[in-house]
Amino acid sequence: MTRAYNFCAGPAALPEEVLLQAREEMLDWHGKGLSVMEMSHRSDEFVGIAQEAESLLRELLSVPQDYKVLFLQGGANLQFSSVPLNLLGSHSSADYIDTGIWSNKAVKEAARYGKIDVIASTADQHYHRVPQQQELKFNKDAAYVHYCSNETIGGLEFDYVPVTENGVPLVCDMSSTILSRPIDVAQYDMIYAGAQKNIGPAGLCLVIIKESLLDREVSSIPTMMSYRVAAENDSMYNTPPTFAWYLSGLVFQWLKRQGGVAAIGEVNARKASKLYAAIDESRLYANPIAVANRSWMNVPFTLADTGLEKAFLKEADAAGLLNLKGHRSVGGMRASIYNAVPEAAVDALIDFMHAFEKKYYPA
Amino acid sequence: MTRAYNFCAGPAALPEEVLLQAREEMLDWHGKGLSVMEMSHRSDEFVGIAQEAESLLRELLSVPQDYKVLFLQGGANLQFSSVPLNLLGSHSSADYIDTGIWSNKAVKEAARYGKIDVIASTADQHYHRVPQQQELKFNKDAAYVHYCSNETIGGLEFDYVPVTENGVPLVCDMSSTILSRPIDVAQYDMIYAGAQKNIGPAGLCLVIIKESLLDREVSSIPTMMSYRVAAENDSMYNTPPTFAWYLSGLVFQWLKRQGGVAAIGEVNARKASKLYAAIDESRLYANPIAVANRSWMNVPFTLADTGLEKAFLKEADAAGLLNLKGHRSVGGMRASIYNAVPEAAVDALIDFMHAFEKKYYPA
């Protein structure tokens, strides 16, 4: 078996140790004679798996006691509706920060349920930087402020946590940065994240929410989208995606073995730093994002000669460096270097990029 | 490794061959150097996996060309909201048939979105039979008629397909009977089914719907719940639960190798028939459901001496016969004998039941 280096933006690489353990336990979990996939979600065994996963996540992120952790379905996209349906309450509007494709999708969906005010946008600067705190023109009656801490497609990341006014809750789509470094959960009122980047396989979505926000849902909300109902039922109002939940627990165990989010954050900083350095030092490759806002997780780059893109992708693939093609909406290349992408993968990519430039774009 | 016989109602047993194949391919799918879980859902590889699964399902159930097959999330519970939000359209009401806990849950959720008329119920007969066709008092202006073909908890199953009037669409929650025998999809306008019984792991929900029904959604529907949007995007409006989708494809391949739904239907009929016979012939065990409406998939039974229940479960467990406890809402025992539960498991259960009766409840 040869494992490739996988730079996919999501569903993304998983730690090899996690896949090995899942393989080992595939037909017979802990001598119980059945797969995790075949267990009742209400069995002692699965409830134990589920609770352990939640405990580990709470430990890794130091989640305060007054926050609920929910294991949901539907990905971040379903949250684009769930957030307004759960949090608008009696408010008529919410504030959104626009930093690219994903925050825009959130705006469009939320606008179907309330008045959405885009309080800051860097669209006119091609989303090459994030708005600064002083540019955020909050509405004092907003139900909440929403932003996306990392735009997976643009490779644009907030280097600060916005501070709202008048105690308006802060909601963050953290799909592609959660667990990549320490965060202070208390700075947020709600965090959500699709699993398929730093958490586990696709089909699971995490919500971390302050309990005091669970009383705001609008009456028409589908029961399955209610955070209150999910919280009251320990995310088992219905059958949850049990295998994805179990795998996320294995990922959390792995992350703890790596030394937790502080330790992985150091590795991630180093991975990103050396890859951006390689891009900046080259004549062939370029990344347009303001240095302070460059994503640690998603590194898009262009080739000065776009005619070389096909060869780049083909030769990278042959070298076992997979999924480097940029998102269809923007083109170019993108290397997603989530937690499970080892530093050796980034080193191999940099070596490949150097060799490719030397061969096809010599000085 | 010892695999137990697993009678769980869901998440239920999966075919051992499927788990073995998934284990084999866990870290390196077809020599590509990565797990299916780590593939982009838009990659050629995964799109191929997804399309093959759909093709196999269409072949197994002979799904007519004018029906869309959707691979969604959220389980049947989310469909309890999705059905009215997608199908009420300009109609003000829908007809529901009440046969137990699951159809009731569907009624309650739908009633949040429109006027729901329960056109037939056997609640006053403890749900020991299903309403007959002539008892169904349809409303001619109903948006649709909804029923649950198999009540997983009650063990109650329709032995006929209701015929609606005035061309009102028929919607069926087929979560626990789909693929258990041949069905004529053309008799339905929409079928939905949570995966975790006869399809694959939890976290996936199948919808089979006539294309002509895709223009009825209400304007407030969350985009992720829209069948139209899912159909227009081949169930990839967002990242689907890729691993569950892949596993369902493996289950469909396995089912085809068994000879398809006709062949598995014969096995299932035999399994159910011998288990009900064992119950009926005993003094200790009993099942209250009208013979024609006994579920092929979920066989609940009580013990004449309820004081023996604990011993029954304990000794069954020790004998490798797992998850025989009835649903917490009704008590007693329940053996779910889905496609992946081999006939040998049913034989072993019957032998155990005989021996247990002889030991603890001799004549």
PDB file of all heavy atoms in Angstrom, chain A residues 3-4 6 14 27 33 38 73-74 109 112-113 219-223 238, chain B residues 3-4 6 14 27 33 38 73-74 109 112-113 219-223 238:
ATOM      1  N   ARG A   3       0.483   5.304   0.401  1.00  0.00           N
ATOM      2  CA  ARG A   3      -0.411   6.418   0.677  1.00  0.00           C
ATOM      3  C   ARG A   3       0.136   7.656   0.000  1.00  0.00           C
ATOM      4  O   ARG A   3       1.315   7.992   0.140  1.00  0.00           O
ATOM      5  CB  ARG A   3      -0.504   6.648   2.191  1.00  0.00           C
ATOM      6  CG  ARG A   3      -1.229   5.524   2.924  1.00  0.00           C
ATOM      7  CD  ARG A   3      -2.701   5.778   3.069  1.00  0.00           C
ATOM      8  NE  ARG A   3      -2.946   6.949   3.901  1.00  0.00           N
ATOM      9  CZ  ARG A   3      -4.117   7.562   3.972  1.00  0.00           C
ATOM     10  NH1 ARG A   3      -5.141   7.146   3.246  1.00  0.00           N
ATOM     11  NH2 ARG A   3      -4.270   8.604   4.754  1.00  0.00           N
ATOM     12  N   ALA A   4      -0.729   8.342  -0.738  1.00  0.00           N
ATOM     13  CA  ALA A   4      -0.313   9.580  -1.397  1.00  0.00           C
ATOM     14  C   ALA A   4      -0.377  10.741  -0.403  1.00  0.00           C
ATOM     15  O   ALA A   4      -0.940  10.622   0.681  1.00  0.00           O
ATOM     16  CB  ALA A   4      -1.228   9.850  -2.577  1.00  0.00           C
ATOM     17  N   ASN A   6      -2.164  14.079   0.237  1.00  0.00           N
ATOM     18  CA  ASN A   6      -3.476  14.514  -0.227  1.00  0.00           C
ATOM     19  C   ASN A   6      -3.767  15.945   0.229  1.00  0.00           C
ATOM     20  O   ASN A   6      -3.977  16.190   1.412  1.00  0.00           O
ATOM     21  CB  ASN A   6      -4.528  13.537   0.335  1.00  0.00           C
ATOM     22  CG  ASN A   6      -5.938  13.881  -0.082  1.00  0.00           C
ATOM     23  OD1 ASN A   6      -6.168  14.728  -0.947  1.00  0.00           O
ATOM     24  ND2 ASN A   6      -6.904  13.224   0.544  1.00  0.00           N
ATOM     25  N   LEU A  14      -7.228  12.323   6.294  1.00  0.00           N
ATOM     26  CA  LEU A  14      -7.394  11.949   7.698  1.00  0.00           C
ATOM     27  C   LEU A  14      -6.074  11.368   8.190  1.00  0.00           C
ATOM     28  O   LEU A  14      -5.287  10.851   7.400  1.00  0.00           O
ATOM     29  CB  LEU A  14      -8.522  10.912   7.832  1.00  0.00           C
ATOM     30  CG  LEU A  14      -9.930  11.479   7.635  1.00  0.00           C
ATOM     31  CD1 LEU A  14     -10.933  10.377   7.359  1.00  0.00           C
ATOM     32  CD2 LEU A  14     -10.358  12.260   8.877  1.00  0.00           C
ATOM     33  N   LEU A  27     -14.824  -4.675  11.764  1.00  0.00           N
ATOM     34  CA  LEU A  27     -15.827  -5.746  11.859  1.00  0.00           C
ATOM     35  C   LEU A  27     -16.138  -6.141  13.292  1.00  0.00           C
ATOM     36  O   LEU A  27     -17.111  -6.842  13.545  1.00  0.00           O
ATOM     37  CB  LEU A  27     -15.360  -6.995  11.093  1.00  0.00           C
ATOM     38  CG  LEU A  27     -15.617  -6.947   9.593  1.00  0.00           C
ATOM     39  CD1 LEU A  27     -14.485  -6.291   8.856  1.00  0.00           C
ATOM     40  CD2 LEU A  27     -15.942  -8.313   9.049  1.00  0.00           C
ATOM     41  N   GLY A  33     -18.140  -8.036  18.708  1.00  0.00           N
ATOM     42  CA  GLY A  33     -18.716  -8.862  17.646  1.00  0.00           C
ATOM     43  C   GLY A  33     -19.483  -8.099  16.597  1.00  0.00           C
ATOM     44  O   GLY A  33     -20.191  -8.686  15.770  1.00  0.00           O
ATOM     45  N   GLU A  38     -22.874  -0.810  13.148  1.00  0.00           N
ATOM     46  CA  GLU A  38     -24.002  -1.724  13.365  1.00  0.00           C
ATOM     47  C   GLU A  38     -24.584  -1.609  14.770  1.00  0.00           C
ATOM     48  O   GLU A  38     -25.447  -2.397  15.148  1.00  0.00           O
ATOM     49  CB  GLU A  38     -23.543  -3.164  13.131  1.00  0.00           C
ATOM     50  CG  GLU A  38     -22.961  -3.403  11.747  1.00  0.00           C
ATOM     51  CD  GLU A  38     -22.358  -4.794  11.622  1.00  0.00           C
ATOM     52  OE1 GLU A  38     -21.412  -5.101  12.372  1.00  0.00           O
ATOM     53  OE2 GLU A  38     -22.840  -5.564  10.781  1.00  0.00           O
ATOM     54  N   GLN A  73     -25.999  16.958  11.433  1.00  0.00           N
ATOM     55  CA  GLN A  73     -25.804  16.569  10.039  1.00  0.00           C
ATOM     56  C   GLN A  73     -25.994  17.785   9.121  1.00  0.00           C
ATOM     57  O   GLN A  73     -26.353  18.858   9.566  1.00  0.00           O
ATOM     58  CB  GLN A  73     -26.821  15.481   9.644  1.00  0.00           C
ATOM     59  CG  GLN A  73     -26.665  14.184  10.424  1.00  0.00           C
ATOM     60  CD  GLN A  73     -27.581  13.079   9.907  1.00  0.00           C
ATOM     61  OE1 GLN A  73     -27.558  12.747   8.732  1.00  0.00           O
ATOM     62  NE2 GLN A  73     -28.371  12.502  10.793  1.00  0.00           N
ATOM     63  N   GLY A  74     -25.737  17.568   7.846  1.00  0.00           N
ATOM     64  CA  GLY A  74     -26.083  18.586   6.843  1.00  0.00           C
ATOM     65  C   GLY A  74     -24.975  19.559   6.494  1.00  0.00           C
ATOM     66  O   GLY A  74     -25.156  20.398   5.608  1.00  0.00           O
ATOM     67  N   GLU A 109     -28.375  32.771   2.082  1.00  0.00           N
ATOM     68  CA  GLU A 109     -29.353  31.877   2.700  1.00  0.00           C
ATOM     69  C   GLU A 109     -30.049  32.578   3.874  1.00  0.00           C
ATOM     70  O   GLU A 109     -31.270  32.492   4.013  1.00  0.00           O
ATOM     71  CB  GLU A 109     -28.683  30.588   3.173  1.00  0.00           C
ATOM     72  CG  GLU A 109     -29.628  29.536   3.717  1.00  0.00           C
ATOM     73  CD  GLU A 109     -30.515  28.878   2.652  1.00  0.00           C
ATOM     74  OE1 GLU A 109     -30.283  29.064   1.438  1.00  0.00           O
ATOM     75  OE2 GLU A 109     -31.474  28.185   3.049  1.00  0.00           O
ATOM     76  N   ARG A 112     -33.033  34.924   3.346  1.00  0.00           N
ATOM     77  CA  ARG A 112     -34.352  34.347   3.094  1.00  0.00           C
ATOM     78  C   ARG A 112     -35.188  34.345   4.369  1.00  0.00           C
ATOM     79  O   ARG A 112     -36.402  34.118   4.333  1.00  0.00           O
ATOM     80  CB  ARG A 112     -34.193  32.932   2.549  1.00  0.00           C
ATOM     81  CG  ARG A 112     -33.334  32.909   1.271  1.00  0.00           C
ATOM     82  CD  ARG A 112     -33.138  31.511   0.732  1.00  0.00           C
ATOM     83  NE  ARG A 112     -34.412  30.920   0.407  1.00  0.00           N
ATOM     84  CZ  ARG A 112     -34.762  29.680   0.710  1.00  0.00           C
ATOM     85  NH1 ARG A 112     -33.911  28.905   1.354  1.00  0.00           N
ATOM     86  NH2 ARG A 112     -35.941  29.216   0.374  1.00  0.00           N
ATOM     87  N   TYR A 113     -34.564  34.610   5.508  1.00  0.00           N
ATOM     88  CA  TYR A 113     -35.278  34.522   6.790  1.00  0.00           C
ATOM     89  C   TYR A 113     -35.309  35.820   7.591  1.00  0.00           C
ATOM     90  O   TYR A 113     -36.003  35.902   8.592  1.00  0.00           O
ATOM     91  CB  TYR A 113     -34.669  33.397   7.639  1.00  0.00           C
ATOM     92  CG  TYR A 113     -34.741  32.084   6.914  1.00  0.00           C
ATOM     93  CD1 TYR A 113     -33.622  31.537   6.295  1.00  0.00           C
ATOM     94  CD2 TYR A 113     -35.962  31.445   6.774  1.00  0.00           C
ATOM     95  CE1 TYR A 113     -33.723  30.358   5.569  1.00  0.00           C
ATOM     96  CE2 TYR A 113     -36.067  30.264   6.049  1.00  0.00           C
ATOM     97  CZ  TYR A 113     -34.944  29.731   5.454  1.00  0.00           C
ATOM     98  OH  TYR A 113     -35.049  28.579   4.731  1.00  0.00           O
ATOM     99  N   SER A 219     -40.667  29.846  15.318  1.00  0.00           N
ATOM    100  CA  SER A 219     -41.627  28.750  15.513  1.00  0.00           C
ATOM    101  C   SER A 219     -41.681  27.794  14.328  1.00  0.00           C
ATOM    102  O   SER A 219     -42.047  26.639  14.476  1.00  0.00           O
ATOM    103  CB  SER A 219     -43.018  29.328  15.780  1.00  0.00           C
ATOM    104  OG  SER A 219     -43.432  30.089  14.665  1.00  0.00           O
ATOM    105  N   SER A 220     -41.296  28.267  13.159  1.00  0.00           N
ATOM    106  CA  SER A 220     -41.415  27.411  11.964  1.00  0.00           C
ATOM    107  C   SER A 220     -40.200  26.521  11.737  1.00  0.00           C
ATOM    108  O   SER A 220     -40.110  25.817  10.738  1.00  0.00           O
ATOM    109  CB  SER A 220     -41.625  28.297  10.739  1.00  0.00           C
ATOM    110  OG  SER A 220     -40.490  29.142  10.570  1.00  0.00           O
ATOM    111  N   ILE A 221     -39.263  26.541  12.640  1.00  0.00           N
ATOM    112  CA  ILE A 221     -38.027  25.785  12.411  1.00  0.00           C
ATOM    113  C   ILE A 221     -38.306  24.276  12.329  1.00  0.00           C
ATOM    114  O   ILE A 221     -39.028  23.720  13.162  1.00  0.00           O
ATOM    115  CB  ILE A 221     -36.998  26.082  13.529  1.00  0.00           C
ATOM    116  CG1 ILE A 221     -35.613  25.553  13.151  1.00  0.00           C
ATOM    117  CG2 ILE A 221     -37.440  25.511  14.871  1.00  0.00           C
ATOM    118  CD1 ILE A 221     -34.498  26.062  14.062  1.00  0.00           C
ATOM    119  N   PRO A 222     -37.773  23.605  11.314  1.00  0.00           N
ATOM    120  CA  PRO A 222     -37.873  22.145  11.308  1.00  0.00           C
ATOM    121  C   PRO A 222     -37.235  21.578  12.582  1.00  0.00           C
ATOM    122  O   PRO A 222     -36.138  22.017  12.971  1.00  0.00           O
ATOM    123  CB  PRO A 222     -37.084  21.751  10.057  1.00  0.00           C
ATOM    124  CG  PRO A 222     -37.187  22.945   9.153  1.00  0.00           C
ATOM    125  CD  PRO A 222     -37.152  24.124  10.092  1.00  0.00           C
ATOM    126  N   THR A 223     -37.917  20.664  13.219  1.00  0.00           N
ATOM    127  CA  THR A 223     -37.447  20.143  14.502  1.00  0.00           C
ATOM    128  C   THR A 223     -35.997  19.663  14.433  1.00  0.00           C
ATOM    129  O   THR A 223     -35.217  19.882  15.354  1.00  0.00           O
ATOM    130  CB  THR A 223     -38.364  18.989  14.968  1.00  0.00           C
ATOM    131  OG1 THR A 223     -39.696  19.501  15.027  1.00  0.00           O
ATOM    132  CG2 THR A 223     -37.959  18.464  16.321  1.00  0.00           C
ATOM    133  N   ASN A 238     -32.729  12.043  16.710  1.00  0.00           N
ATOM    134  CA  ASN A 238     -32.908  10.909  15.787  1.00  0.00           C
ATOM    135  C   ASN A 238     -31.579  10.162  15.720  1.00  0.00           C
ATOM    136  O   ASN A 238     -30.656  10.436  16.486  1.00  0.00           O
ATOM    137  CB  ASN A 238     -33.350  11.398  14.404  1.00  0.00           C
ATOM    138  CG  ASN A 238     -32.202  11.969  13.611  1.00  0.00           C
ATOM    139  OD1 ASN A 238     -31.259  12.501  14.193  1.00  0.00           O
ATOM    140  ND2 ASN A 238     -32.282  11.859  12.308  1.00  0.00           N
TER     141      ASN A 238
ATOM    142  N   ARG B   3     -17.927 -12.752  14.951  1.00  0.00           N
ATOM    143  CA  ARG B   3     -19.028 -11.832  14.659  1.00  0.00           C
ATOM    144  C   ARG B   3     -20.291 -12.363  15.320  1.00  0.00           C
ATOM    145  O   ARG B   3     -20.660 -13.522  15.176  1.00  0.00           O
ATOM    146  CB  ARG B   3     -19.235 -11.743  13.144  1.00  0.00           C
ATOM    147  CG  ARG B   3     -18.089 -11.026  12.439  1.00  0.00           C
ATOM    148  CD  ARG B   3     -18.328  -9.551  12.276  1.00  0.00           C
ATOM    149  NE  ARG B   3     -19.469  -9.299  11.420  1.00  0.00           N
ATOM    150  CZ  ARG B   3     -20.080  -8.124  11.350  1.00  0.00           C
ATOM    151  NH1 ARG B   3     -19.670  -7.114  12.103  1.00  0.00           N
ATOM    152  NH2 ARG B   3     -21.090  -7.946  10.545  1.00  0.00           N
ATOM    153  N   ALA B   4     -20.963 -11.494  16.042  1.00  0.00           N
ATOM    154  CA  ALA B   4     -22.204 -11.884  16.702  1.00  0.00           C
ATOM    155  C   ALA B   4     -23.362 -11.796  15.700  1.00  0.00           C
ATOM    156  O   ALA B   4     -23.233 -11.239  14.619  1.00  0.00           O
ATOM    157  CB  ALA B   4     -22.466 -10.958  17.881  1.00  0.00           C
ATOM    158  N   ASN B   6     -26.662  -9.957  15.037  1.00  0.00           N
ATOM    159  CA  ASN B   6     -27.089  -8.640  15.484  1.00  0.00           C
ATOM    160  C   ASN B   6     -28.507  -8.329  15.017  1.00  0.00           C
ATOM    161  O   ASN B   6     -28.751  -8.126  13.836  1.00  0.00           O
ATOM    162  CB  ASN B   6     -26.091  -7.606  14.922  1.00  0.00           C
ATOM    163  CG  ASN B   6     -26.416  -6.178  15.318  1.00  0.00           C
ATOM    164  OD1 ASN B   6     -27.270  -5.936  16.169  1.00  0.00           O
ATOM    165  ND2 ASN B   6     -25.748  -5.237  14.688  1.00  0.00           N
ATOM    166  N   LEU B  14     -24.792  -4.964   8.957  1.00  0.00           N
ATOM    167  CA  LEU B  14     -24.405  -4.805   7.552  1.00  0.00           C
ATOM    168  C   LEU B  14     -23.839  -6.140   7.073  1.00  0.00           C
ATOM    169  O   LEU B  14     -23.347  -6.935   7.869  1.00  0.00           O
ATOM    170  CB  LEU B  14     -23.350  -3.702   7.424  1.00  0.00           C
ATOM    171  CG  LEU B  14     -23.895  -2.281   7.603  1.00  0.00           C
ATOM    172  CD1 LEU B  14     -22.769  -1.296   7.878  1.00  0.00           C
ATOM    173  CD2 LEU B  14     -24.679  -1.853   6.355  1.00  0.00           C
ATOM    174  N   LEU B  27      -7.652   2.338   3.557  1.00  0.00           N
ATOM    175  CA  LEU B  27      -6.567   3.325   3.464  1.00  0.00           C
ATOM    176  C   LEU B  27      -6.161   3.624   2.033  1.00  0.00           C
ATOM    177  O   LEU B  27      -5.453   4.599   1.775  1.00  0.00           O
ATOM    178  CB  LEU B  27      -5.327   2.840   4.241  1.00  0.00           C
ATOM    179  CG  LEU B  27      -5.370   3.121   5.735  1.00  0.00           C
ATOM    180  CD1 LEU B  27      -6.051   2.024   6.492  1.00  0.00           C
ATOM    181  CD2 LEU B  27      -3.993   3.413   6.282  1.00  0.00           C
ATOM    182  N   GLY B  33      -4.205   5.564  -3.392  1.00  0.00           N
ATOM    183  CA  GLY B  33      -3.381   6.118  -2.325  1.00  0.00           C
ATOM    184  C   GLY B  33      -4.145   6.913  -1.287  1.00  0.00           C
ATOM    185  O   GLY B  33      -3.548   7.605  -0.457  1.00  0.00           O
ATOM    186  N   GLU B  38     -11.384  10.449   2.100  1.00  0.00           N
ATOM    187  CA  GLU B  38     -10.459  11.564   1.885  1.00  0.00           C
ATOM    188  C   GLU B  38     -10.548  12.139   0.470  1.00  0.00           C
ATOM    189  O   GLU B  38      -9.737  12.976   0.092  1.00  0.00           O
ATOM    190  CB  GLU B  38      -9.021  11.079   2.133  1.00  0.00           C
ATOM    191  CG  GLU B  38      -8.794  10.521   3.525  1.00  0.00           C
ATOM    192  CD  GLU B  38      -7.422   9.882   3.662  1.00  0.00           C
ATOM    193  OE1 GLU B  38      -7.132   8.920   2.911  1.00  0.00           O
ATOM    194  OE2 GLU B  38      -6.639  10.349   4.514  1.00  0.00           O
ATOM    195  N   GLN B  73     -29.109  13.863   3.686  1.00  0.00           N
ATOM    196  CA  GLN B  73     -28.730  13.668   5.084  1.00  0.00           C
ATOM    197  C   GLN B  73     -29.950  13.880   5.990  1.00  0.00           C
ATOM    198  O   GLN B  73     -31.015  14.235   5.532  1.00  0.00           O
ATOM    199  CB  GLN B  73     -27.625  14.670   5.475  1.00  0.00           C
ATOM    200  CG  GLN B  73     -26.330  14.489   4.695  1.00  0.00           C
ATOM    201  CD  GLN B  73     -25.216  15.400   5.204  1.00  0.00           C
ATOM    202  OE1 GLN B  73     -24.886  15.393   6.370  1.00  0.00           O
ATOM    203  NE2 GLN B  73     -24.618  16.171   4.314  1.00  0.00           N
ATOM    204  N   GLY B  74     -29.745  13.623   7.282  1.00  0.00           N
ATOM    205  CA  GLY B  74     -30.766  13.993   8.263  1.00  0.00           C
ATOM    206  C   GLY B  74     -31.757  12.900   8.615  1.00  0.00           C
ATOM    207  O   GLY B  74     -32.600  13.099   9.484  1.00  0.00           O
ATOM    208  N   GLU B 109     -44.944  16.547  12.898  1.00  0.00           N
ATOM    209  CA  GLU B 109     -44.030  17.508  12.282  1.00  0.00           C
ATOM    210  C   GLU B 109     -44.709  18.207  11.098  1.00  0.00           C
ATOM    211  O   GLU B 109     -44.592  19.423  10.949  1.00  0.00           O
ATOM    212  CB  GLU B 109     -42.739  16.809  11.826  1.00  0.00           C
ATOM    213  CG  GLU B 109     -41.672  17.731  11.282  1.00  0.00           C
ATOM    214  CD  GLU B 109     -41.004  18.620  12.331  1.00  0.00           C
ATOM    215  OE1 GLU B 109     -41.202  18.401  13.542  1.00  0.00           O
ATOM    216  OE2 GLU B 109     -40.279  19.566  11.924  1.00  0.00           O
ATOM    217  N   ARG B 112     -46.994  21.229  11.584  1.00  0.00           N
ATOM    218  CA  ARG B 112     -46.401  22.541  11.834  1.00  0.00           C
ATOM    219  C   ARG B 112     -46.384  23.374  10.554  1.00  0.00           C
ATOM    220  O   ARG B 112     -46.119  24.578  10.597  1.00  0.00           O
ATOM    221  CB  ARG B 112     -44.990  22.364  12.393  1.00  0.00           C
ATOM    222  CG  ARG B 112     -44.982  21.512  13.670  1.00  0.00           C
ATOM    223  CD  ARG B 112     -43.591  21.302  14.216  1.00  0.00           C
ATOM    224  NE  ARG B 112     -42.989  22.569  14.540  1.00  0.00           N
ATOM    225  CZ  ARG B 112     -41.735  22.898  14.264  1.00  0.00           C
ATOM    226  NH1 ARG B 112     -40.946  22.018  13.664  1.00  0.00           N
ATOM    227  NH2 ARG B 112     -41.265  24.080  14.562  1.00  0.00           N
ATOM    228  N   TYR B 113     -46.650  22.733   9.415  1.00  0.00           N
ATOM    229  CA  TYR B 113     -46.539  23.434   8.129  1.00  0.00           C
ATOM    230  C   TYR B 113     -47.826  23.480   7.323  1.00  0.00           C
ATOM    231  O   TYR B 113     -47.900  24.161   6.315  1.00  0.00           O
ATOM    232  CB  TYR B 113     -45.410  22.805   7.296  1.00  0.00           C
ATOM    233  CG  TYR B 113     -44.103  22.871   8.031  1.00  0.00           C
ATOM    234  CD1 TYR B 113     -43.567  21.755   8.663  1.00  0.00           C
ATOM    235  CD2 TYR B 113     -43.447  24.087   8.173  1.00  0.00           C
ATOM    236  CE1 TYR B 113     -42.394  21.842   9.394  1.00  0.00           C
ATOM    237  CE2 TYR B 113     -42.281  24.183   8.906  1.00  0.00           C
ATOM    238  CZ  TYR B 113     -41.754  23.054   9.511  1.00  0.00           C
ATOM    239  OH  TYR B 113     -40.612  23.153  10.243  1.00  0.00           O
ATOM    240  N   SER B 219     -41.734  28.699  -0.403  1.00  0.00           N
ATOM    241  CA  SER B 219     -40.632  29.650  -0.593  1.00  0.00           C
ATOM    242  C   SER B 219     -39.683  29.704   0.601  1.00  0.00           C
ATOM    243  O   SER B 219     -38.527  30.052   0.460  1.00  0.00           O
ATOM    244  CB  SER B 219     -41.184  31.042  -0.883  1.00  0.00           C
ATOM    245  OG  SER B 219     -41.948  31.473   0.226  1.00  0.00           O
ATOM    246  N   SER B 220     -40.161  29.327   1.771  1.00  0.00           N
ATOM    247  CA  SER B 220     -39.317  29.437   2.967  1.00  0.00           C
ATOM    248  C   SER B 220     -38.450  28.202   3.213  1.00  0.00           C
ATOM    249  O   SER B 220     -37.759  28.111   4.221  1.00  0.00           O
ATOM    250  CB  SER B 220     -40.212  29.655   4.191  1.00  0.00           C
ATOM    251  OG  SER B 220     -41.069  28.540   4.346  1.00  0.00           O
ATOM    252  N   ILE B 221     -38.471  27.264   2.308  1.00  0.00           N
ATOM    253  CA  ILE B 221     -37.740  26.007   2.566  1.00  0.00           C
ATOM    254  C   ILE B 221     -36.236  26.261   2.654  1.00  0.00           C
ATOM    255  O   ILE B 221     -35.663  26.971   1.823  1.00  0.00           O
ATOM    256  CB  ILE B 221     -38.067  24.980   1.454  1.00  0.00           C
ATOM    257  CG1 ILE B 221     -37.554  23.594   1.846  1.00  0.00           C
ATOM    258  CG2 ILE B 221     -37.476  25.399   0.109  1.00  0.00           C
ATOM    259  CD1 ILE B 221     -38.051  22.489   0.921  1.00  0.00           C
ATOM    260  N   PRO B 222     -35.578  25.722   3.680  1.00  0.00           N
ATOM    261  CA  PRO B 222     -34.116  25.803   3.698  1.00  0.00           C
ATOM    262  C   PRO B 222     -33.547  25.141   2.432  1.00  0.00           C
ATOM    263  O   PRO B 222     -33.999  24.060   2.042  1.00  0.00           O
ATOM    264  CB  PRO B 222     -33.739  25.015   4.964  1.00  0.00           C
ATOM    265  CG  PRO B 222     -34.937  25.146   5.857  1.00  0.00           C
ATOM    266  CD  PRO B 222     -36.111  25.114   4.902  1.00  0.00           C
ATOM    267  N   THR B 223     -32.608  25.818   1.793  1.00  0.00           N
ATOM    268  CA  THR B 223     -32.092  25.332   0.515  1.00  0.00           C
ATOM    269  C   THR B 223     -31.639  23.878   0.603  1.00  0.00           C
ATOM    270  O   THR B 223     -31.850  23.090  -0.321  1.00  0.00           O
ATOM    271  CB  THR B 223     -30.923  26.231   0.059  1.00  0.00           C
ATOM    272  OG1 THR B 223     -31.412  27.572  -0.021  1.00  0.00           O
ATOM    273  CG2 THR B 223     -30.402  25.810  -1.306  1.00  0.00           C
ATOM    274  N   ASN B 238     -24.042  20.471  -1.619  1.00  0.00           N
ATOM    275  CA  ASN B 238     -22.917  20.629  -0.685  1.00  0.00           C
ATOM    276  C   ASN B 238     -22.187  19.291  -0.598  1.00  0.00           C
ATOM    277  O   ASN B 238     -22.493  18.367  -1.354  1.00  0.00           O
ATOM    278  CB  ASN B 238     -23.409  21.090   0.691  1.00  0.00           C
ATOM    279  CG  ASN B 238     -24.009  19.954   1.477  1.00  0.00           C
ATOM    280  OD1 ASN B 238     -24.544  19.011   0.895  1.00  0.00           O
ATOM    281  ND2 ASN B 238     -23.931  20.033   2.786  1.00  0.00           N
TER     282      ASN B 238
END
